[in-house]
Amino acid sequence: MLSRGAVDTGKERAAMVEHQLRRRGIGNTRVLAAMSEVPREAFVPEALKASAYADSALPLSHGQTISQPLMVAMSVEALELQGHETVLEIGAGSGYQAAVLSRLAKKVYAIEIIPELVDHARGVLDSLGVDNVELLCADGRKGWPEGAPYDGIVVAAAAEEVPPALIEQLREGGRLVVPVGGKWGQSLQTLRKRGDRLETEDLCRCVFVPLVYGS
Ligand code: SAH
């Protein structure tokens, strides 16, 4: 007999991709494929596994959240990845978005400031055989110079101002996706580095947890 969980999560994942993503304008087939493959239930707390494919953010430990699937899809789609890139994620949380990025880019550097979340994310990524994600426990506002320059950077927490180190570590022509604004609401923006200029595009309104200040 097929395991009930395996059948149900595959169906729920396919429904999530169709209804929450594709019909709401996510058109990049690589993004849709990646999100069809990554088992979101592996990243959510045990008590919430039944809600893993809900159309919402879900709580993690330490007052943090795993972002709504649509926000993950919009953020990673905006990076316009082809598969050969090196990318940086700030705010790895559960590791879910890093797992999605691992299928879209060659190498993923992901930073999370809460040590317990880093340990948990590392365990889940290892259990799924994801081997192109490096996780670091640090203040992501400083970026990760060792991996720079990055073709794409995605920030999964709200920034009042875009941390300058992230712009410095972005490759010429690279894209930085970041929710910019205060605690109660932000604009998800794509910034494209063009010499000394940054071309800015507003993608949508959003509500992310704030980027906190490390020491
Ligand atoms: N991308 C995550 C969800 C992120 S929620 C996922 O797929 O599950 C935002 C995360 O940013 C939280 O885990 C929070 O602890 C982390 N964070 C907040 N400020 C940070 C900082 N300065 N540096 C690194 N991570 C930070």
Side-chain angles (χ1 to χ4, degrees):
M1 199 176 98
L2 282 167
S3 113
R4 197 187 82 86
V7 172
D8 284 354
T9 61
K11 272 193 190 155
E12 282 184 54
R13 195 152 59 240
M16 178 268 281
V17 168
E18 176 60 22
H19 297 283
Q20 299 178 33
L21 308 184
R22 204 184 65 76
R23 292 193 196 179
R24 289 195 191 141
I26 304 298
N28 182 309
T29 51
R30 294 183 72 243
V31 171
L32 295 170
M35 291 186 67
S36 301
E37 289 159 6
V38 176
R40 190 170 159 87
E41 69 276 13
F43 296 88
V44 305
E46 201 57 46
L48 291 172
K49 293 219 185 280
S51 309
Y53 294 95
D55 187 12
S56 63
L58 293 172
L60 299 172
S61 60
H62 300 82
Q64 300 306 321
T65 56
I66 174 170
S67 308
Q68 180 191 19
L70 182 62
M71 283 302 121
V72 174
M74 287 187 79
S75 300
V76 301
E77 185 176 57
L79 294 176
E80 297 191 6
L81 300 169
Q82 311 284 319
H84 55 80
E85 296 87 352
T86 299
V87 298
L88 174 67
E89 181 192 18
I90 310 301
S94 69
Y96 174 72
Q97 182 165 263
V100 173
L101 286 168
S102 78
R103 293 173 171 269
L104 298 171
K106 186 167 177 205
K107 180 83 189 178
V108 181
Y109 291 83
I111 309 180
E112 169 54 51
I113 203 164
I114 299 177
E116 291 80 4
L117 292 182
V118 174
D119 290 344
H120 191 259
R122 192 172 278 134
V124 178
L125 292 168
D126 283 350
S127 74
L128 295 173
V130 175
D131 61 3
N132 60 343
V133 175
E134 300 280 343
L135 273 171
L136 176 70
C137 187
D139 181 353
R141 289 174 311 123
K142 297 174 187 155
W144 193 341
E146 287 77 6
Y150 297 100
D151 302 295
I153 301 179
V154 57
V155 184
E160 301 257 3
E161 282 169 31
V162 181
L166 301 185
I167 297 168
E168 275 161 32
Q169 291 172 28
L170 192 62
R171 186 188 298 284
E172 173 65 24
R175 287 157 191 271
L176 168 57
V177 180
V178 53
V180 180
K183 191 173 174 184
W184 305 113
Q186 309 95 34
S187 169
L188 188 63
Q189 296 188 338
T190 306
L191 312 178
R192 187 134 195 226
K193 192 170 179 176
R194 298 275 192 210
D196 290 342
R197 284 187 319 117
L198 285 174
E199 287 173 7
T200 304
E201 188 188 341
D202 281 308
L203 298 175
C204 64
R205 293 296 300 167
C206 56
V207 184
F208 280 77
V209 294
L211 198 57
V212 297
Y213 287 65
S215 49

